[in-house]
Amino acid sequence: MFLFGDSNGEGGRPARVLAVSTIRAEMAATVWKVVAREGDSVGPDDVLVVLESMKMEIPVLAEASGRVVSLPVAEGALVQEGDVLAVLQQD
């Protein structure tokens, strides 16, 4: 979570809080399909990326509503546990 402005707010306005969620790979896998695109609005449980590991397809879901800020993976890429798959700016 990021806080913009000073803790008292600027010019009498409350400070703006920007919640950012980073989605990481839970295992080593291949990116089978990138479903979402940067700028897309997504809801909870929307599929962002589909990974493939040991011949199983594993959907990677959005954890909350928001906008896709970054998808630093490409189809066919190998990812390791902990690699960033997506960054969301939560509503």
Side-chain angles (χ1 to χ4, degrees), residues 38-42 65-70 87-91:
E38 287 184 15
D40 284 358
S41 291
V42 295
S65 296
R67 184 178 58 82
V68 179
V69 175
S70 174
V87 178
L88 303 179
Q89 177 182 335
Q90 295 179 3
D91 291 339

Side-chain angles (χ1 to χ4, degrees), residues 6 16 20 22-23 30 32 36-37 50 58 60 67 82 86-87:
D6 62 33
R16 182 172 58 123
V20 176
T22 302
I23 313 289
T30 301
W32 183 73
R37 301 283 175 238
V50 180
I58 302 128
V60 178
R67 184 178 58 82
V87 178

Side-chain angles (χ1 to χ4, degrees), residues 24-80:
R24 296 183 181 274
E26 295 184 4
M27 65 182 73
T30 301
V31 178
W32 183 73
K33 186 172 185 177
V34 178
V35 178
R37 301 283 175 238
E38 287 184 15
D40 284 358
S41 291
V42 295
D45 299 328
D46 282 356
V47 177
L48 303 172
V49 175
V50 180
L51 301 178
E52 186 273 327
S53 182
M54 298 176 7
K55 300 188 181 190
M56 294 178 14
E57 294 176 11
I58 302 128
V60 178
L61 309 176
E63 299 169 349
S65 296
R67 184 178 58 82
V68 179
V69 175
S70 174
L71 281 162
V73 294
E75 291 178 5
L78 298 175
V79 295
Q80 298 299 316

Side-chain angles (χ1 to χ4, degrees), residues 2 18 21 59 81 85:
F2 298 97
L18 177 63
S21 179
E81 182 178 349
L85 302 175

